[in-house]
Amino acid sequence: MLQDTSFAIHPGKEKQNQKALIYQDVGKVKQYKKTGNGFLFICENAQVAILFYTNSIVRIVMNPKGEPQLDKSKVVVANPEQLLIKEQIINDTIMLKTNRIKLHVQKAPFRLKVTDRRGRNLLVEGARGMAYRENGEVAVWKEMDKDDHFYGFGEKTGHLNKRGERYEMWNTDVYAPHNPETDPLYESIPYFMTLRQGKAHGVFFDNTFRTVFDLKKSDSYYTFSAEGGQLDYYILAGPEPKAVIEQYTYLTGKMPLPPKWAIGYHQSRYSYETEKEVRQLATTFIEKDIPLDVIHLDIHYMDGYRVFTFDHDKFPNPEQLIKELHDMGIRVVPIVDPGVKKDAEYKTYQEGVLKDLFCKYIEGEIFYGDVWPGTSAFPDFTDQKVRKWWGAQHTFYTDIGIEGIWNDMNEPAVFNETKTMDVTVMHRNDGEQTTHRELHNVYGFLMGKATYEGLKEQLNGKRPFLLTRAGFAGVQRYAAVWTGDNRSFWEHLQMSLPMVMNLGLSGIPFTGPDVGGFAHDTNGELIVRWTQVGAFTPYFRNHSAIGTVYQEPWQFGGKHEEIMRKYIQMRYIWMPQIYSLFHEASTKGLPVMRPLLLEFPNDKKTYNLNDQFMIGDNVMIAPILAPSVTDRAVYMPKGEWVEIETGKTYAGEQTHLIHAELDVLPIFVKRGTAIMQTEWMSNVKKSPENMSMHVFAGALNESYRFIFYDDDGETFAYENGAYLKLELEVTCSEHGVEVTVVNEQGEYDPLYKEIKLNVIGLARNQKVKINGASRINIV
Ligand code: MIG
C-alpha cells in the first residue's frame, strides 16, 4: 500500500544514518564578551559560555541552539564565587586564568586547552573539539595522555581503572547478569577523575539525557556526549585526587551525617513475610548476641503491593511490632516503590488522579506501566507539588515510629521491552515541561529528594535514613545507595570492591552491595568472606532473593556463625573510627572506603589495585575473595604496616604473602598512626561507655593528625554544638609516643568520660606522654 505513496521515494535508512553521523563543529569565534564571572563566545555554529565557580572549578556550556542556559541544573548546589579572572590575548589565543587554572581558547576554530597554573595539561582539544549533530546530540573530544588513568563514573562493573571502557548513563533495572560488560546499571553519575603521574583532575558532565563516555575507541583521545541538551560540563582542577572529590561535592553536595544505627548491621530478605517471622528474626539476633540495627521489610508487607499500606493479615499490628523491636535496639525500614496501583478504591491512587500528580503524556493520558502491583501510575517527582505530596504520604510510616525508607524500582523500572517509562511522557518539571527522555536519569534522584525531605520534616529533629537503588549525581544528599541485584558468586564479591570504591570517588560515600549475594544460593564460606568485607564496607546489609537459601548469619551453623558474629561485632567495635570517617564524608565529601590511590596517588602500583582498600588514611584491608584460599599477596604501600591479627609488621612498597584462615580478615594499620575503638555491649545498649585509642608506635619522628568525632548519633543537635570533636596528634620518636590534643570543639557529653590510651609496639625504654587536655581525659 505504501508503495503508492511518497513513501516509495523515502531516502532509505542507510543514507539517513550517514547524514546523521555528520558532526557540526562549533566553528570560529566571531565575537566574545565578558559577563560577570564568565565569558560568552559567539561562534559560527554555536555559543559557548565559560563561567568560573572557584579558582579551581570552571564550567563550559555549549548550546547549539542559542544562548547558553546557565540556570537549568537539576543538581548543582554551588553558585559562582566572586573571583578575579585575568584575561590576556596572545595571537590567536585568549587566555583566561585564576591563580589555579588557565584556559587557553584558540579562536579559529574554537578549541579549548585547560592547564593548571604551572602549565600541566588538564584537558586538551586537538583536531576535534565541541560539536553537535542534527538529531540533538552534543559531544566533545579530548586528548588522552598515555599515562591517564580514569576513575569514578559511579556504579559501574569492571575494574577500578576505567581506561579502555565505554560507559552509558541511563538508569536501568538489571536483574541479571551484572557481568563485566553489563552497562548501564541503576545509577547515573556522569563524572570522572583522571589521574596522571600522581596529579588528578575531574570532569562533571551536568546533562541528564542519556550520556556516553568513550575511553575505548582510541588510545589518544576520549569523548563524552549526550543525546540532547547542552554540552554543559565542569572542570575540576585538583591537583590531588582528594581535592577533585572535594571540588565535585562542592558542586553536587555532601552526604548528610547518617544516624549511627544506619551505619550498623542491616538484615534483609525478599521477603520476611509476617510479623511473627520478623519478631522471631529479631529475637534470634538477640539470643545469639549478633548485633543488629535494622530489619528491612520487602514488598510482601504491603496489601497487594500498594505503597503506604500494610497487609493486616500478615502484619496485624505494625505499630506494636515496631515499638517492640525498637526496645530491642532494632529499627524497621520498609520498601517503597514509585509505582502506585491502578485501583479506584485505593486512596493513594485516588489522590494521585484527583489531584493530578501522576506522569502523563502530552495529550493528557496518564502513563501506566506494569510493575509489582500490576498496572500502575507513577508520581511525577519533577514537580515540587508532587514531591511535597509524596513526602507527606510518609506520615503513614513515621507516625508508627519508622525512621528509614528503602526506595526500589525508581529508575523507574517497568516490566516492558524498554524496561522503563516511555521517553515521550511529558514531565511537569516545575513549570518547564519536558520529556522523560531528558529527565529519566533524575527520576530516582527526585523521588529521593521528595522522600528524604518528607521524612526530615516528620521526624522532629531525628535524622532520617534513606536507601535507594536509582540516582543521579548528587544523590548522596538524600540517600545511601546499594548496588542492586548481584548474585551469590565469588566474582560478585570481587566486583563489589572496585564498584563501591568508584562510587566513593564519585561523591557517594554511603554504599555497599547485598552481602552474601542477592540472587542464587550463597554458601557458608562465601558469606563468611563477604561478611568480613561487609564489616568494613560503608553500607552493611545482608539481603537475598525469594527462592534462594536463607542467609542470616546463623544459617550455616557452627564455625560459620561464630565467625560472622565476630565480624558483625567488629563493625561495632570499629564504630567510633567509622563514624568519624562518616563525619569527614559529610563535611568534605571524601569516601569512607577508599582505593589506595586516594592516599598514595604517586604510587603506580595502586592505580588499578582492585582487591585491597583503605578505611580512612591509615587502615588497609586485604580480604580473601576466592574459595578455598587462605593465602594471598598483599601490596603494602609506603610506610610500615602492622597486621592486627598477628601483630607482625610489614615493610611498605613491597608485596607480601599473607596467611588468613577462614576466621581471619587481614587488616593492617600504618605504624605511627592511631585508631579509635569501643567495645561491643549488646543490641539494646549500643551507645559506648568505653572509648579506646590504639596507637601503633613506630614511624619515627613523623606526626599523624586525625579527628575523633562523636555525637548522639540520632538527632540534628550536632548542628547546634552538641558534638565532640577532638583533633589529635600522635608523634613517635626514639623516646616513645606523644599524644597531643591539638583542638577541641563541641559540647556533647558522651557516656564515656575518658579515652583509654593503648600503645602497641612500645620498646622497653620508651615512654608515653600526653600533651594538652580535653574535657574527655586521655588516660
Ligand atoms: O525485581 O522488592 O533490587 O533488592 O528485594 C524485584 C523485591 C524488585 C529488586 C531489588 C531487590 C528487592 C526486589 N526488587
Side-chain angles (χ1 to χ4, degrees), residues 270 298-299 335 372 406 408-409 469 482 485 518 543:
Y270 168 26
D298 208 325
I299 49 177
I335 197 167
W372 294 117
W406 167 21
D408 186 23
M409 305 289 281
R469 194 169 72 176
W482 100 100
D485 296 346
F518 178 68
H543 180 50

Side-chain angles (χ1 to χ4, degrees), residues 67-220:
E67 199 163 319
Q69 306 284 299
L70 301 177
D71 56 356
K72 292 279 177 279
S73 179
K74 286 274 164 257
V75 295
V76 168
V77 288
N79 288 308
E81 285 172 7
Q82 277 307 314
L83 297 166
L84 191 70
I85 316 292
K86 284 202 193 123
E87 204 183 325
Q88 201 183 358
I89 302 184
I90 304 173
N91 305 328
D92 186 34
T93 303
I94 303 161
M95 308 259 284
L96 307 171
K97 57 184 178 185
T98 70
N99 58 15
R100 288 276 165 166
I101 196 167
K102 260 192 219 171
L103 272 63
H104 314 237
V105 180
Q106 174 200 294
K107 278 164 54 180
F110 182 107
R111 287 291 179 270
L112 180 67
K113 180 165 102 173
V114 183
T115 65
D116 74 0
R117 117 194 96 157
R118 298 218 169 77
R120 175 177 63 99
N121 283 343
L122 306 184
L123 301 183
V124 180
E125 292 171 1
R128 299 173 96 172
M130 291 188 277
Y132 57 92
R133 276 167 63 186
E134 182 71 27
N135 65 0
E137 182 187 325
V138 290
V140 66
W141 283 254
K142 303 283 184 192
E143 287 179 1
M144 195 192 286
D145 191 278
K146 66 177 186 346
D147 284 327
D148 281 349
H149 300 75
F150 296 91
Y151 307 94
F153 300 108
E155 187 184 63
K156 296 298 178 191
T157 59
H159 290 112
L160 196 58
N161 176 14
K162 299 305 190 189
R163 187 174 179 127
E165 302 292 345
R166 176 188 182 277
Y167 290 115
E168 272 185 47
M169 301 294 169
W170 183 257
N171 292 1
T172 307
D173 170 19
V174 186
Y175 169 66
H178 288 215
N179 280 333
E181 92 285 20
T182 307
D183 182 65
L185 292 176
Y186 320 88
E187 298 265 330
S188 291
I189 318 294
Y191 152 84
F192 64 91
M193 177 194 291
T194 307
L195 179 61
R196 185 193 310 141
Q197 294 173 342
K199 296 279 193 296
H201 57 273
V203 167
F204 169 44
F205 185 16
D206 191 7
N207 183 309
T208 60
F209 283 87
R210 184 193 293 266
T211 54
V212 174
F213 294 80
D214 195 338
L215 321 165
K216 184 178 187 168
K217 200 177 287 157
S218 162
D219 219 27
S220 57

Side-chain angles (χ1 to χ4, degrees), residues 402-450:
I402 286 171
E403 296 165 40
I405 293 290
W406 167 21
N407 281 167
D408 186 23
M409 305 289 281
N410 52 347
E411 294 73 26
V414 180
F415 303 148
N416 65 22
E417 199 111 307
T418 69
K419 295 178 150 202
T420 193
M421 190 175 281
D422 285 355
V423 292
T424 53
V425 162
M426 190 60 87
H427 288 294
R428 292 163 180 80
N429 194 27
D430 291 324
E432 295 191 44
Q433 291 203 3
T434 187
T435 58
H436 191 66
R437 185 192 305 284
E438 179 168 352
L439 296 180
H440 171 80
N441 282 337
V442 286
Y443 188 83
F445 169 86
L446 294 171
M447 181 185 188
K449 179 177 163 73

